[in-house]
Amino acid sequence: MTFEKVKEIIMETINCDEEKITLEASLKEDLDMDSLDAMELSMALEEAYDITIDEDELQNFVTVKNIVEYLDSQNA
C-alpha cells in the first residue's frame, strides 16, 4: 500500500514519530515540516517512485493523504 511506503519515507526523511504519521496528518502543523523538509521529502519520493514532482504539485501537499493520492494517480 502506498501509505505504508510514504510513511516510511517520511520517517526516514524528517525523523518524526511513526504515531504522528496518519493520512489526516498536516505536514506543517502535525509533522512540523518546513520548506527544507518538504524539498528533502520531495526528492526522496521522486527517487522511491521514479517520478518527477512539479513545484506546483508540491504546494498542494498539505496532508499525508494528499501525497498518497498524488502518488496513486501517477501509478494508475
Side-chain angles (χ1 to χ4, degrees), residues 36-62:
L36 183 60
D37 291 330
M39 288 308 298
E40 288 180 23
L41 179 59
S42 173
M43 292 188 306
L45 291 167
E46 288 176 338
E47 190 175 313
Y49 285 91
D50 196 29
I51 59 171
T52 301
I53 302 173
D54 288 352
E55 263 189 61
D56 294 340
E57 259 332 301
L58 203 54
Q59 303 299 320
N60 295 329
F61 296 166
V62 177

Side-chain angles (χ1 to χ4, degrees), residues 4 13 17 21-23 26-27 37-38 42 48 53 57-59 64-65 68 76:
E4 292 301 321
T13 307
D17 294 334
I21 306 170
T22 65
L23 281 172
S26 164
L27 301 176
D37 291 330
S42 173
I53 302 173
E57 259 332 301
L58 203 54
Q59 303 299 320
V64 174
K65 184 176 183 180
V68 171

Side-chain angles (χ1 to χ4, degrees), residues 8-15 37 40-42 44:
E8 278 182 39
I9 293 169
I10 292 172
M11 285 185 334
E12 290 172 9
T13 307
I14 64 167
N15 298 320
D37 291 330
E40 288 180 23
L41 179 59
S42 173

